[in-house]
Amino acid sequence: MSQFAAKRLAVVGLGLIGGSLAKALRETGCVEHIRAYNRSAQSLQFALQQGIIDQACSSIGQLCEGLEAGDVLVLGVPVLAAGPVLEQLHPAVEAGVTITDVGSTKSWLVAEAERVFGEAPSNLVPAHPIAGSEQYGVEASRADLFRAHRVILTPHANCGASHLERVRELWLACGAGIDEMTPERHDEVLGATSHLPHVLAYILVDLLCSMEQRGEVLRYAAGGFRDFTRIASSDPTMWRDIMIANREAISSRIDEYEQHLDRLKAALEDESAEAIQEIFERAQATREAFLKQSEQSS
Ligand code: NAD
C-alpha cells in the first residue's frame, strides 16, 4: 500500500504520460489539486473539460506559483525539452518541491540539471515508467497505464532520500512496481531493449518505402511486417530526442547488431543450415522464456 498524499501536483508537458499520471493520481484521490502547463493550450482545455486537471496554467511561472514543500512537479515533456524547461523552473520553483520526470533517457536529464543548477539538485528525482504506447497526446492518456508496469528510478549522487522516497510512493500509488539503477546503467539497458528495436522498426519501414517496387512490396506485407513495425508508428519527435540524448549507447548497440547480422549473412553465404538453425533456436528459446517471465510477473 502506498502512503502517497500531496496537496498539489504540477505537470509540465501534459501528453500521454503526463496525462496518464494525472489521471492515475486523480483516481486514487491522493492529490488535492492538479495543475498543468503545456505548449499546446488545446491539450490543457481538453484536460480541464475532462476533469483530468483543475487548473490550466499559461506559463511555467504560473505553474510554480504557490507550490510548497511536499508538492510534486513532473516533467512530462520530450527528452530534449527538459533542459529548457529546467532553465525556466530554476528561478521559479521553491527548493522543497519534489521535481521528477518521466523521460526515456536519464543521463541527459542529470547533465542538463547540472548545467542549469550547477549540480543536480537534491529535490530532482529522475524516473522512467516502462509503460506507454505508440499513441501520444493527453487524448490517449489512461488512468491504468502504469498498473502492473515497472518504473525505474535513477537517483543521481546528490539525490535527497526524502524526495526519492516520495517519488517511489507516488508510483506505487499508481499501481506500478519500482526498480532502481544509475542513470548510466538505465541508458545502456534501455538502449538495448527499447531504443534499438525502435531503430530497427523505423529503418525497416524506411528501407521498404525507398524500394522501387514499394507499392507491390507493401501490398504483400502481412502480419509479420505489421507486428515488427508497429513501433514505427511512434511519435517521430519523441524518438528523435531519445536518439540524440542516448546516442552513444544506441550507436554501440547498432554496432553489435551489425555484427550479428554479419554472422547470419556469413551463414547464408556458406549455405550453413546448421548455423542459421542455431541462431533462430537460441532466439526462439530466449523469447519464450521472456514471455513466460512476463506472464508470471503480470
Ligand atoms: P506526448 O507527445 O504525448 O506529450 C508531450 C507533451 O509535452 C505534449 O503535449 C507537448 O505539447 C508538450 N510539450 C513539448 N514541449 C514542451 C515544452 N517545452 N513546454 C511545455 N510542454 C511541452 O509524449 P509522451 O508520450 O507523453 O512522452 C513524454 C515523455 O515521456 C517523453 O520524455 C518520453 O520519452 C517519455 N516516455 C514516453 C513513453 C511512451 O510510450 N510514449 C513511455 C515512457 C516514457
Side-chain angles (χ1 to χ4, degrees), residues 12-18 37-40 43 76-79 81 85 102-104 128-129 131-133 135-137 235 238 242:
V12 186
L14 193 76
L16 171 71
I17 303 296
Y37 165 70
N38 196 69
R39 206 172 46 182
S40 125
S43 303
V77 294
V79 171
V85 167
V102 296
S104 306
H128 178 201
S133 79
Q135 296 179 316
Y136 47 88
D235 179 28
M238 173 178 136
I242 292 170

Side-chain angles (χ1 to χ4, degrees), residues 38-288:
N38 196 69
R39 206 172 46 182
S40 125
Q42 239 177 351
S43 303
L44 292 180
Q45 284 317 312
F46 174 86
L48 261 184
Q49 278 160 11
Q50 299 290 314
I52 302 169
I53 58 172
D54 303 298
Q55 183 188 358
C57 300
S58 56
S59 67
I60 289 192
Q62 192 189 7
L63 183 86
C64 293
E65 263 169 35
L67 290 188
E68 298 168 348
D71 294 336
V72 178
L73 188 148
V74 181
L75 309 186
V77 294
V79 171
L80 295 190
V85 167
L86 286 177
E87 282 171 16
Q88 295 177 66
L89 283 177
H90 184 27
V93 72
E94 209 262 316
V97 173
T98 302
I99 303 176
T100 185
D101 82 316
V102 296
S104 306
T105 73
K106 305 291 12 143
S107 305
W108 181 272
L109 178 81
V110 175
E112 284 293 84
E114 285 165 354
R115 177 180 68 76
V116 173
F117 291 84
E119 69 173 342
S122 62
N123 58 334
L124 175 70
V125 183
H128 178 201
I130 311 299
S133 79
E134 67 281 11
Q135 296 179 316
Y136 47 88
V138 67
E139 297 79 2
S141 62
R142 284 172 26 202
D144 65 351
L145 189 67
F146 311 112
R147 202 168 298 151
H149 284 265
R150 310 302 300 173
V151 173
I152 305 178
L153 305 183
T154 66
H156 51 82
N158 194 37
C159 200
S162 61
H163 293 289
L164 181 61
E165 192 48 32
R166 202 142 174 71
V167 175
R168 177 191 302 279
E169 291 292 338
L170 175 150
W171 283 110
L172 287 174
C174 298
I178 311 293
D179 294 309
E180 206 176 296
M181 59 180 82
T182 64
E184 297 75 23
R185 182 75 189 132
H186 167 279
D187 289 356
E188 277 172 26
V189 172
L190 272 290
T193 56
S194 168
H195 307 169
L196 181 64
H198 279 80
V199 169
L200 304 184
Y202 279 126
I203 294 299
L204 177 65
V205 178
D206 194 44
L207 167 71
L208 294 197
C209 89
S210 69
M211 285 179 167
E212 255 177 64
Q213 335 77 309
R214 111 184 220 178
E216 194 181 20
V217 168
L218 291 179
R219 188 162 349 120
Y220 295 114
F225 175 80
R226 190 177 275 273
D227 289 349
F228 186 84
T229 60
R230 177 181 58 79
I231 53 180
S233 295
S234 305
D235 179 28
T237 307
M238 173 178 136
W239 280 95
R240 175 204 64 191
D241 281 16
I242 292 170
M243 295 291 133
I244 301 281
N246 199 25
R247 59 188 178 277
E248 280 176 25
I250 296 172
S251 277
S252 303
R253 296 306 180 187
I254 292 175
D255 288 344
E256 287 167 40
Y257 192 77
E258 280 174 348
Q259 288 162 15
H260 281 247
L261 273 186
D262 285 344
R263 251 177 257 160
L264 182 68
K265 202 170 158 197
L268 294 178
E269 280 160 5
D270 296 345
E271 295 182 34
S272 172
E274 206 182 316
I276 298 169
Q277 180 92 13
E278 193 187 309
I279 295 169
F280 289 180
E281 277 183 359
R282 191 169 51 235
Q284 186 199 37
T286 306
R287 189 164 191 279
E288 294 295 314

